[in-house]
Amino acid sequence: MRVIIIGLILLVSVIGCKDNEVTEPAQIAPEIVSLTASKTEIKIGEISELKCEAKGENLEYLWNVFLGDIVPVNADASIVNYSGYECCAGPKTITCKVKNEAGEVTESIVINVLE
Amino acid sequence: MKVYPFFILLLILGFNSNNTYAQCCAAGTPNCDNGLANGSGKHVLSLSLGHQYSYSDQYYQGTTLFESNYIKNSFFHFGSLRASYGVTEKLKLVLDLGHFYSKAQTLEQSNYFREAKGLADVGISGLYTLYNKNNLQLAPIFRLTLPFGQFDQKFGPVILPIDLQPSAGSLKSSAGLYSAYKLKDNWSLALLGTYEISNKIETEHTSYKYGGLTNLRLIANHKFNKSISAGLHVWYQNRERAEDQFKELINATGGQLLFVCPTAAYNYKDWRLSARYELPVYKNMNGTQLTNNHRIAVRLTRSINLDKDRIIDSLNLNVSGVCGMCKTRIETAALLNPKVVTANYDLGTKILNIKVSTDFNKNTLIESLLAAGHDTENQKATEEAYDALHFCCKYRE
C-alpha cells in the first residue's frame, strides 16, 4: 500500500511539473518581407500558390478574399492556394494579415481570374 | 373534388424528379417554410423547435447539370426556435432564432474541409388579416431579418466565404401578400408571394450585396382527420444577381428555381409535429453554380392559449350523469374545449359548472358533451353515443 501511495505522489509530481514551460510573448511586431504568387492570372478552377514571408516571433496568419477560395498548404498557413470558380471572375484582392502579441501587419496581392 | 387532379399532378412531379437539383444554401438563415402563415388565434402563443438538413453536391449551368470538380459537397444542420403570438384576431407576430450546428463544404482540392458554426440571424415577421370572410383570408405580411448572427467567421487561418457564414451579414426586408381559401372536404389552398431586398454588406472582410428575391408559394393541404394532415407546396423562387464591392453584377449568382415540397403533420392536443421534404424540380441558374439535392425539415410545435387563464364568465349547465365515471367523463369533455378553464360536475344537482375564457362557444361544448354520450338541457345524445357508455353510466330510465 505504501509503495502505491509513494508511486502516486511521484507520478502527480512529475505530471504537475510538465506544464511549467511558458511561451514568452513576442516583443517585436511582425514585418512582411514579401507576398508572392506562383501565378497572377489563373483560369476558373485553376490554383495560384501564395506565399507570405514574414519576420517575427509567434506569427499568426489570417487570409481573406471577397470572392474565391483559400486553402492552407503548410502548418502555419504562410503558404496557401487560391482558386476561384465562375462567381469570382475578374481581379481579386487577397490580403494576408500577420500578427503576434506586439502588433500586426497586412499586405495584399491581386490575382486575375480569367473566364 | 376538383383539387384532386392538381394534387396528384404535384405528387407525380415531386416523386419523379431525381435528376433535377436546386439552389445551394444561401448565406444566413435558411428560408424554408411558410411558418408565418400557420394559424394561431388571438392570444395564442406557439413555440416550436425545428431542424433542417440540406445537402448539395451538383453544379448547374443554366438549366443543365454540369460536371465540375471544384466543391465536392456542401451541407448544413440548422436548429431553430420560433415563437409566434396572436396579438389580436388580425395581427400575428413571429420571432425566429436559429443556430447552425454545422455549415460545411469539402473542396475537391486536397479534400479540404471547412466549416462554420454559430448563431444565425434573427427574423421578425408580421401578418395582418385584412379580410376574412366566405372562407377566404387575405393578409399582407412583412419580415425583417436582422444580421445578429455570426459573420466574417474564420476557419483556421482563413476567413470563410460568404455562403458559409452563419449570418447573412446584412439587413433583409421583405413584404408580400398571403391568401388562403378553405375548400370543401377539409381541403385548403393558400398562395404566398413575397419580395425581399437586402442592404449592402460592408465589413472589414466583406463587401457584397445580395440580389432581390421573389418567392411565390402555392400550398395545397388536406386534413385527413383531427390528427393527421398532409399537403404539397409548389415554390417558385427568382433571385437576382448579387453585386460585388465595385457594384458590378456577379455573373454566377441568382437564378430561377421551382421546388415541390411534400409535407405532413401530426397533431395531438396542443402539440404538432410536422415534416417537410424539399425537392427541386426545375432550375435555371445564372452561370454555373453549386446546387442542392434536397432539404429536410422537421418541427415540433406547442401552442399555448394564454386566454385560457383569463376567466371572463361562469356558467351552469344541466347534464345527465349518474356515477363517478360519468363525472370524470363530463368534466374531461368540457376541459377538452380550449376555452373552458375549469369544470366541476355535481352528481347531486346534475349541474356542470364551468369557468370560461373569451370567445367561448356554448354550442361547441354541448356538442362535445353529446358526443360523449350525455344529454344536456335541451338536447339528447344519439343512441349510438349513449349505447357506448359503460353499463353503470346508463342514466336513462
Side-chain angles (χ1 to χ4, degrees), chain B residues 44-178:
Chain B
V44 173
L45 174 69
S46 292
L47 296 170
S48 67
L49 282 172
H51 184 87
Q52 289 182 38
Y53 170 72
S54 168
Y55 182 81
S56 318
D57 70 353
Q58 298 285 341
Y59 276 87
Y60 233 74
Q61 188 177 63
T63 55
T64 53
L65 188 62
F66 185 79
E67 284 298 320
S68 172
N69 56 356
Y70 195 72
I71 291 173
K72 197 183 256 183
N73 61 57
S74 177
F75 70 86
F76 68 74
H77 284 282
F78 177 75
S80 63
L81 174 67
R82 170 177 291 159
S84 75
Y85 181 66
V87 182
T88 65
E89 285 294 344
K90 292 183 172 181
L91 178 65
K92 179 179 164 185
L93 294 177
V94 181
L95 176 73
D96 281 307
L97 305 170
H99 185 273
F100 282 98
Y101 304 116
S102 178
K103 193 174 188 185
Q105 285 178 345
T106 303
L107 297 180
E108 287 282 359
Q109 184 192 145
S110 322
N111 253 347
Y112 181 62
F113 175 83
R114 56 191 181 182
E115 181 185 40
K117 290 177 182 178
L119 282 177
D121 293 334
V122 174
I124 298 171
S125 319
L127 179 147
Y128 187 80
T129 302
L130 277 181
Y131 180 88
N132 197 3
K133 282 178 188 170
N134 303 324
N135 293 327
L136 177 67
Q137 183 192 3
L138 289 173
I141 60 173
F142 73 89
R143 181 180 171 87
L144 284 177
T145 308
L146 309 169
F148 288 161
Q150 288 173 314
F151 194 69
D152 278 345
Q153 198 174 102
K154 61 179 184 172
F155 182 71
V158 182
I159 303 290
L160 287 166
I162 193 165
D163 58 347
L164 272 181
Q165 297 293 342
S167 167
S170 73
L171 174 72
K172 293 182 173 184
S173 328
S174 73
L177 186 71
Y178 172 74

Side-chain angles (χ1 to χ4, degrees), chain B residues 226 269 308 331-340 365 368:
Chain B
K226 241 182 174 181
K269 291 185 178 174
K308 194 152 186 173
E331 289 173 353
T332 305
L335 287 169
L336 281 174
N337 186 316
K339 303 294 179 183
V340 174
L365 175 68
S368 305

Side-chain angles (χ1 to χ4, degrees), chain B residues 63-334:
Chain B
T63 55
T64 53
L65 188 62
F66 185 79
E67 284 298 320
S68 172
N69 56 356
Y70 195 72
I71 291 173
K72 197 183 256 183
N73 61 57
S74 177
F75 70 86
F76 68 74
H77 284 282
F78 177 75
S80 63
L81 174 67
R82 170 177 291 159
S84 75
Y85 181 66
V87 182
T88 65
E89 285 294 344
K90 292 183 172 181
L91 178 65
K92 179 179 164 185
L93 294 177
V94 181
L95 176 73
D96 281 307
L97 305 170
H99 185 273
F100 282 98
Y101 304 116
S102 178
K103 193 174 188 185
Q105 285 178 345
T106 303
L107 297 180
E108 287 282 359
Q109 184 192 145
S110 322
N111 253 347
Y112 181 62
F113 175 83
R114 56 191 181 182
E115 181 185 40
K117 290 177 182 178
L119 282 177
D121 293 334
V122 174
I124 298 171
S125 319
L127 179 147
Y128 187 80
T129 302
L130 277 181
Y131 180 88
N132 197 3
K133 282 178 188 170
N134 303 324
N135 293 327
L136 177 67
Q137 183 192 3
L138 289 173
I141 60 173
F142 73 89
R143 181 180 171 87
L144 284 177
T145 308
L146 309 169
F148 288 161
Q150 288 173 314
F151 194 69
D152 278 345
Q153 198 174 102
K154 61 179 184 172
F155 182 71
V158 182
I159 303 290
L160 287 166
I162 193 165
D163 58 347
L164 272 181
Q165 297 293 342
S167 167
S170 73
L171 174 72
K172 293 182 173 184
S173 328
S174 73
L177 186 71
Y178 172 74
S179 60
Y181 190 66
K182 279 184 191 168
L183 300 164
K184 288 177 184 172
D185 303 327
N186 291 322
W187 279 91
S188 65
L189 269 180
L191 186 67
L192 179 65
T194 58
Y195 184 74
E196 179 188 87
I197 53 168
S198 304
N199 284 14
K200 190 175 181 185
I201 306 166
E202 282 290 2
T203 69
E204 183 191 352
H205 299 293
T206 310
S207 177
Y208 193 86
K209 189 174 187 303
Y210 302 99
L213 177 67
T214 306
N215 278 309
L216 282 174
R217 297 168 201 262
L218 179 65
I219 304 153
N221 204 59
H222 181 62
K223 211 171 174 182
F224 292 96
N225 55 42
K226 241 182 174 181
S227 305
I228 298 168
S229 62
L232 203 67
H233 297 194
V234 179
W235 174 17
Y236 167 79
Q237 187 181 79
N238 179 42
R239 188 181 282 279
E240 294 155 21
R241 284 189 170 90
E243 288 176 14
D244 65 11
Q245 72 267 41
F246 308 113
K247 291 188 176 178
E248 285 186 12
L249 292 176
I250 303 166
N251 183 41
T253 55
Q256 295 173 320
L257 300 151
L258 186 70
F259 302 89
V260 167
C261 317
T263 64
Y266 178 77
N267 297 284
Y268 178 72
K269 291 185 178 174
D270 295 333
W271 292 88
R272 178 184 170 87
L273 179 66
S274 58
R276 171 191 169 97
Y277 184 66
E278 196 175 288
L279 196 65
V281 291
Y282 169 78
K283 151 171 85 167
N284 186 1
M285 309 306 290
N286 298 325
T288 309
Q289 295 178 53
L290 181 65
T291 61
N292 81 337
N293 294 24
H294 56 256
R295 176 157 54 165
I296 298 163
V298 290
R299 183 173 288 278
L300 180 66
T301 305
R302 165 90 159 97
S303 294
I304 304 157
N305 186 352
L306 301 181
D307 259 350
K308 194 152 186 173
D309 299 327
R310 299 182 192 181
I311 297 167
I312 59 150
D313 206 357
S314 179
L315 297 172
N316 286 332
L317 194 69
N318 283 316
V319 183
S320 301
V322 287
C323 64
M325 205 184 287
C326 290
K327 176 179 166 65
T328 306
R329 191 182 304 107
I330 290 166
E331 289 173 353
T332 305

